[in-house]
Amino acid sequence: MAKKSTGIKLIIVESPTKAKTISKFLGKGYKVLSSFGHVRDLPTSTMGIDIEHGFTPKYVIPKKATKVVAELRAAAKAADEIYFATDEDREGEAISWHLRELLKVKEGKVKRITFHEITKEAIEHALKTPRDLDLRMVDAQQARRVLDRLVGYELSPFLWRKVARGLSAGRVQSVVVRLIVEREREVLAFKAEEYWSIEAAFAPLSVIPSEVEGSVFQAKLHSKDGATLDKMAIGSEKDAKAILKALDKAAYAIETVDKKKTKRSPAAPFTTSTLQQDGNNKLGFSAKQTMMLAQQLYEGVELGEEGSVGLITYMRTDSVNLAEKFREEAAEFIKKEHPNSVSAEARVYKTKSKGAQEAHEAIRPTSAWRTPESVAQYLDDRQNKLYELVWRRAVASQMADAEIETTSATIATGTPYRFRATGSIVASPGFMSVYQTDMKENLLPPLNEGDALEAKSIEPKQHFTEPPPRYSEAALVKALEERGIGRPSTYAPTISTVVDRGYVEKEERRLKPTELAILVNDLLLEHFATVVDYDFTAKMEDTLDAVAEGAEEWVPVIKAFYGPFHANLEVKEKELSKKEITETATDQVCEKCGKPMIIKFGRFGKFYACSGYPECKTTKPFDEKDKAAQDAAQEQAVGEVCETCGAPMMVKRGRFGAFLSCSKYPECKYTKQIKKLTGAKCPKCKEGDVIEKRSRKGRNFYACSRYPDCDFAMWSKPTGELCPKSGDLLVFAKDHKIACSNKECDFIKDAPQKEE
C-alpha cells in the first residue's frame, strides 16, 4: 500500500539560528529543523578506526545528539521530500552524508541544496536547483578526520609515556607549534645592532611671521656624495657627531622638488584568511572570535520588524569572486552615495591562493544598501565592528582608485651631505572614502628649487635593530596560508587548541611558546620529522584537495602515510625513555637527604627534584623568577587559612604558575590566586594595588586588587610611575616606548634599554 502524501518538505540545516532565518522565507508546506552540528562522529574513548580493514571509521551517535537524531528520524519519516541544506564545504557535505546514512530514507526522497547567503532569493534558487551529494567531498573530509585521528591517538599517548600525561600532538597543531617555537628562537638569538639617524626641522627663510604656522617641516639625512645612505650607514655616536661637525656651517637650500601622483587600488573582498587577519589587526579579535561572529552574521540576526536576516555571505571561502548581482548593486550604491568615487568599470578579482576551494564567492554583505549605520542598533558591539569591516571592504572593492600626491624635496647643504623631505596627501580619496588604510598624510609647505632654508633643529637619534616580532594571530594565519599548511577554516580552531593545551601563551597579543612546547617540538622534530615537516604537511593538503576532486582515492592516501608513521613509532617506543627526555643531571644536592638533584620536566615546565624519589620527594623551582614568585607566595601563605574549611593554605604550581590551595585537598578544593603586583596604586579608588591578572582567553590584563569593590582595569602594563604631564599612570607601549594611559595626553618617551 502506497504511503499517503503529507505534503511536508523537510529542510535540515546544522544551526537553529540558520533554521529560524530560512523558515521566514518559506511557505506552510516546509518544515526546517536543525541537526545541531554533527550527528555522528568517531568515539572519544577509543581510536574508532578499523586499521586492518581499509581504515574504516566506526562512527557513533554522540550522547548529546541522540534526542535530535530521534526527532529528525520521525520528521523524515513523515515528510514527502527531504532537503539537506548544510554548508557548502567538505564539513557540510559530510554532515549531510551522515544524516542520509542515519535517516535511512529512500534514494529519490533526498535532495542536496546549497547557497552562499541566507536570503529569500538564494533559498528559492537553491530549492529549484537541487543536486546529489558530492561523495568526493565527503571522502576528503573523512580522509582528514581519519588522518588526524591516527596521528592524535597514536602520537599523543606516546608523549604521555615519554614526557608527561595529558599532552597532545596533531598533524597541523604540531606544525603550528613548530612555527611559533622557531620564531621564538630567532627572537632569543637576535643581537641588537646600534645605528643612528640625523633628523632635522627646516623652514623657508622667505616665510613672514604671519605665515609661520605649518611652514616647519621634517627631513632626514639621505645621501653623501650622491650615494644614498642605508639604515646602518651611521653606526655610532662618534659617526653621528662627525657628520654634525661637517654640517656646522652648512647653508641649506632646496635643490630639487619632485611631485608625482600615484594610484592605489582597493583590496579584494575578504576571504576567510584575510578576514581573520584584519579581524586581529584592526579589531583585536582572535581568529576564533572572528569566525564565531562571522557565523552569527551569516546565519541571521534579528533586525526588528524585518525579523532574522543573514547579513553576510558564507564565511569559509578561499575565493575573492563577487556575484554579478552584488557588483551591480554596489555600483548603484556608490553612484548615489559617493558619486566622485565611481569606478570606470566593474572590478573582477581572481583567486590566487594555492588550492583555493570551498565556497565560490568572497565574504560580502548580502546587500550593499544595508549599511553598518542602518543595522548598528540591532547588533552587539563586536558584531557591529565585524559587519562594518566586511561591508566597507566589499563595497570599497568596487570603487575607484585613490590618487596620492607625493612631494619629495632634496635639500643641499654646501657639503657632501643631502637631506630628503617627503610629503604625501590624498588628492582623490576614491575607495578610501569608505575603507580606511594605514596611510598617513604628511603635508609639506610650498617649496621651490633654490629656496633658502633655516635649520630649526638638527638632532642625531640613536636606534637599535629589533628582533623579528613574535607571531600575532594575524601574522601566523598569513604564514600558514603562504606555506599551504592547513586550510583557512582550520586556522582558528588550531590556534585555539595550541593555546588551550598549554603549548602557547599570549603576551600582549603575541604568541609565545612555553617550555613544554619547545621540548615537545624538539622531540617531534628529531624523531618524527615527517609529522612536523612544512612541505610534507602542505603536500598532504594538496592530496586531500585531489581526493575532493576525485583524482585520488582516500584509503591509499591514508595507507601510504600510516605504514611508515606507525613503524617509526614502534621503533621510538623502544629506543626512547622518559628519563632520557625529561631529566638532566646537576651538581646540586638535596638539602634533605644529600642525594643529587636533577632537573625534571613536568606538565607545567622544569623544576628541581631529588633523584631519591619516591623515598625523598623534595622539589624546588627551576629558575630565580619562579623561586621569587614561590617565595612570595610562601610568605603570603604564612598564617593564611582556607576561607572554606579553616585549614592552613599551601603553595602549589599549576599551568599558569603558583597559586594557593587548601592543605586538605582533595577533601577541600578551595584555591586562591597569588597577586602579581605591578608597583602601581589603583588610580580609581586610591586604595587597592594594580595587579596582573589573566582573562578567560589567556590574555594578561591589569586590574585593581579590590575587585569587585573597584572595577578599574586596563590592558596595558603600568610601569609603576605617574605621567609628569597628566598625573595618570604610565604604561608600556609599542616600539619600546612608555606612554601615558590617558589617551588625551600625548606624553611619550623611550623605555630604558635592557642590559645584556
Side-chain angles (χ1 to χ4, degrees):
M1 182 176 175
K3 179 188 171 185
K4 186 178 179 180
S5 173
T6 61
I8 296 175
K9 294 180 180 180
L10 175 64
I11 298 178
I12 303 177
V13 298
E14 316 96 309
S15 154
T17 304
K18 189 175 175 181
K20 183 179 180 182
T21 306
I22 291 174
S23 294
K24 63 175 280 192
F25 302 129
L26 303 173
K28 293 182 179 179
Y30 289 94
K31 184 176 184 178
V32 187
L33 295 178
S34 168
S35 71
F36 291 86
H38 277 279
V39 289
R40 288 201 313 181
D41 201 358
L42 296 173
T44 56
S45 56
T46 60
M47 173 77 79
I49 297 170
D50 189 347
I51 295 171
E52 302 299 323
H53 298 87
F55 300 94
T56 305
K58 299 176 182 178
Y59 294 114
V60 298
I61 300 173
K63 189 175 181 180
K64 66 178 183 179
T66 52
K67 184 179 178 181
V68 173
V69 170
E71 292 173 351
L72 292 175
R73 279 174 171 163
K77 191 174 181 181
D80 287 344
E81 296 178 15
I82 301 172
Y83 294 88
F84 295 143
T86 51
D87 293 336
E88 190 181 12
D89 55 19
R90 296 172 192 175
E91 198 77 14
E93 207 72 17
I95 291 174
S96 287
W97 177 73
H98 284 298
L99 283 167
R100 190 185 73 175
E101 297 297 298
L102 279 177
L103 299 182
K104 293 181 168 48
V105 290
K106 292 181 180 178
E107 190 72 28
K109 193 176 179 180
V110 171
K111 297 176 182 178
R112 174 80 166 109
I113 61 172
T114 57
F115 37 83
H116 304 302
E117 62 184 43
I118 305 178
T119 60
K120 182 178 177 62
E121 183 181 17
I123 301 303
E124 289 177 345
H125 177 74
L127 289 168
K128 290 176 184 176
T129 56
R131 63 168 173 81
D132 294 330
L133 278 170
D134 189 336
L135 296 181
R136 299 171 305 175
M137 291 178 70
V138 175
D139 284 346
Q141 191 277 340
Q142 193 162 236
R144 179 187 292 278
R145 190 77 181 91
V146 169
L147 190 62
D148 290 345
R149 175 57 66 101
L150 290 169
V151 173
Y153 270 56
E154 292 208 350
L155 201 49
S156 295
F158 173 83
L159 293 178
W160 299 357
R161 293 187 292 272
K162 304 301 181 182
V163 182
R165 287 197 62 80
L167 296 182
S168 70
R171 186 178 60 86
V172 178
Q173 167 194 320
S174 297
V175 178
V176 169
V177 171
R178 178 185 173 185
L179 271 171
I180 295 169
V181 168
E182 289 184 348
R183 174 57 59 87
E184 185 70 13
R185 285 188 164 136
E186 288 179 46
V187 172
L188 294 174
F190 178 82
K191 297 294 183 183
E193 292 184 59
E194 180 184 12
Y195 68 97
W196 290 69
S197 63
I198 309 292
E199 300 179 18
F202 293 109
L205 282 172
S206 59
V207 173
I208 60 177
S210 62
E211 298 173 324
V212 167
E213 186 176 350
S215 65
V216 177
F217 62 97
Q218 305 298 314
K220 286 188 176 182
L221 190 69
H222 175 261
S223 63
K224 179 183 180 183
D225 293 323
T228 301
L229 298 171
D230 65 29
K231 185 173 82 169
M232 307 300 292
I234 309 173
S236 67
E237 185 177 15
K238 181 181 177 182
D239 294 339
K241 286 183 175 179
I243 294 172
L244 290 180
K245 187 175 181 181
L247 294 171
D248 191 36
K249 295 182 180 180
Y252 302 100
I254 299 295
E255 188 172 54
T256 61
V257 177
D258 295 316
K259 291 186 177 182
K260 62 179 181 179
K261 282 189 177 181
T262 57
K263 290 186 176 182
R264 183 179 293 192
S265 298
F270 283 126
T271 61
T272 302
S273 169
T274 54
L275 179 63
Q276 290 176 3
Q277 290 175 52
D278 262 24
N280 188 245
N281 286 329
K282 295 180 182 291
L283 305 178
F285 296 160
S286 67
K288 184 178 180 181
Q289 285 176 318
T290 296
M291 294 308 291
M292 176 191 71
L293 294 167
Q295 183 93 30
Q296 294 168 0
L297 297 173
Y298 164 70
E299 292 182 346
V301 177
E302 290 288 337
L303 300 185
E305 295 180 359
E306 197 175 352
S308 185
V309 175
L311 293 180
I312 66 171
T313 52
Y314 191 52
M315 62 287 156
R316 293 186 180 92
T317 174
D318 294 323
S319 174
V320 292
N321 178 48
L322 288 173
E324 184 177 354
K325 175 180 174 292
F326 178 80
R327 294 201 302 268
E328 292 172 351
E329 184 182 77
E332 291 175 11
F333 174 86
I334 295 162
K335 187 176 181 180
K336 182 175 184 296
E337 300 295 332
H338 301 275
N340 296 325
S341 300
V342 175
S343 178
E345 57 185 26
R347 293 184 182 274
V348 178
Y349 298 89
K350 293 185 179 181
T351 301
K352 297 179 181 179
S353 63
K354 181 182 178 182
Q357 41 94 19
E358 311 297 7
H360 306 299
E361 196 175 353
I363 304 170
R364 61 165 174 83
T366 52
S367 171
W369 293 99
R370 194 174 284 118
T371 63
E373 295 78 15
S374 69
V375 299
Q377 61 180 312
Y378 305 109
L379 306 179
D380 66 33
D381 184 56
R382 294 189 306 168
Q383 289 173 333
N384 184 50
K385 286 179 178 177
L386 192 68
Y387 179 69
E388 184 172 2
L389 195 66
V390 171
W391 185 90
R392 291 187 181 281
R393 177 83 165 231
V395 172
S397 75
Q398 297 304 301
M399 297 176 75
D401 290 342
E403 287 191 359
I404 312 299
E405 185 177 280
T406 303
T407 301
S408 179
T410 302
I411 300 163
T413 66
T415 76
Y417 296 100
R418 299 286 187 276
F419 283 84
R420 173 72 59 84
T422 304
S424 296
I425 61 168
V426 178
S428 176
F431 75 92
M432 290 170 65
S433 59
V434 166
Y435 191 77
Q436 296 299 314
T437 68
D438 57 1
M439 180 196 163
K440 294 181 180 179
E441 288 192 316
N442 174 31
L443 183 63
L444 291 179
L447 299 173
N448 299 295
E449 292 181 8
D451 284 352
L453 301 175
E454 176 188 1
K456 296 289 187 180
S457 65
I458 300 180
E459 296 180 354
K461 291 194 174 181
Q462 183 186 37
H463 309 275
F464 292 91
T465 55
E466 295 187 356
R470 291 179 178 135
Y471 284 112
S472 63
E473 287 203 19
L476 183 59
V477 164
K478 186 176 181 181
L480 291 170
E481 185 175 43
E482 288 175 347
R483 289 178 178 270
I485 296 168
R487 283 293 176 257
S489 59
T490 68
Y491 296 158
T494 303
I495 294 171
S496 179
T497 295
V498 299
V499 173
D500 293 343
R501 298 281 169 85
Y503 287 121
V504 175
E505 297 174 337
K506 288 186 179 180
E507 274 191 11
E508 304 296 328
R509 289 178 55 190
R510 296 282 174 173
L511 302 171
K512 177 185 178 183
T514 60
E515 286 185 324
L516 178 68
I518 295 170
L519 184 143
V520 171
N521 173 73
D522 291 352
L523 177 66
L524 295 180
L525 199 56
E526 182 178 356
H527 300 287
F528 299 92
T530 300
V531 175
V532 290
D533 182 75
Y534 296 135
D535 291 338
F536 174 82
T537 307
K539 287 175 183 175
M540 182 58 73
E541 293 298 341
D542 294 340
T543 304
L544 293 174
D545 288 344
V547 172
E549 294 162 4
E552 294 266 9
E553 295 292 328
W554 76 269
V555 174
V557 168
I558 302 299
K559 187 176 181 180
F561 167 80
Y562 182 73
F565 166 75
H566 184 72
N568 183 52
L569 189 67
E570 289 184 323
V571 170
K572 299 302 177 182
E573 185 71 57
K574 296 174 182 176
E575 283 183 356
L576 303 176
S577 70
K578 183 174 183 177
K579 186 173 183 179
E580 179 184 338
I581 296 169
T582 63
E583 295 183 10
T584 306
T586 75
D587 57 3
Q588 296 189 34
V589 295
C590 177
E591 296 172 358
K592 289 186 178 179
C593 71
K595 289 185 177 179
M597 295 290 282
I598 56 175
I599 298 172
K600 295 191 73 171
F601 200 102
R603 181 72 178 86
F604 305 113
K606 294 177 181 177
F607 62 97
Y608 285 106
C610 180
S611 59
Y613 181 88
E615 289 76 17
C616 179
K617 298 180 180 179
T618 301
T619 63
K620 64 179 184 178
F622 174 69
D623 58 33
E624 289 303 315
K625 183 180 177 182
D626 277 354
K627 186 177 187 305
Q630 195 152 333
D631 287 346
Q634 294 284 13
E635 187 176 335
Q636 179 178 336
V638 173
E640 190 159 350
V641 295
C642 174
E643 294 179 16
T644 301
C645 70
M649 296 292 284
M650 62 184 295
V651 176
K652 287 192 174 181
R653 285 188 58 78
R655 176 174 167 186
F656 301 117
F659 65 97
L660 297 179
S661 173
C662 180
S663 57
K664 284 193 174 181
Y665 181 87
E667 290 79 14
C668 177
K669 297 182 180 179
Y670 176 77
T671 61
K672 185 177 179 181
Q673 182 184 18
I674 295 171
K675 295 176 183 177
K676 295 183 178 180
L677 299 175
T678 63
K681 277 290 183 184
C682 176
K684 187 171 184 179
C685 71
K686 311 296 184 185
E687 295 179 26
D689 295 306
V690 179
I691 60 173
E692 181 180 314
K693 303 183 80 173
R694 187 176 286 249
S695 72
R696 286 186 220 176
K697 300 295 183 181
R699 184 178 172 188
N700 290 342
F701 69 101
Y702 305 89
C704 182
S705 59
R706 295 181 62 245
Y707 179 84
D709 295 327
C710 176
D711 62 359
F712 171 79
M714 64 194 306
W715 288 114
S716 299
K717 184 177 182 179
T719 66
E721 300 176 339
L722 298 180
C723 175
K725 291 181 70 174
S726 69
D728 294 298
L729 290 177
L730 289 178
V731 297
F732 292 102
K734 292 181 179 179
D735 302 322
H736 303 293
K737 301 288 185 183
I738 289 175
C740 181
S741 59
N742 185 340
K743 293 182 179 179
E744 295 180 1
C745 177
D746 61 0
F747 178 79
I748 191 166
K749 68 176 183 177
D750 290 329
Q753 292 287 328
K754 293 181 179 179
E755 294 183 4
E756 292 292 332

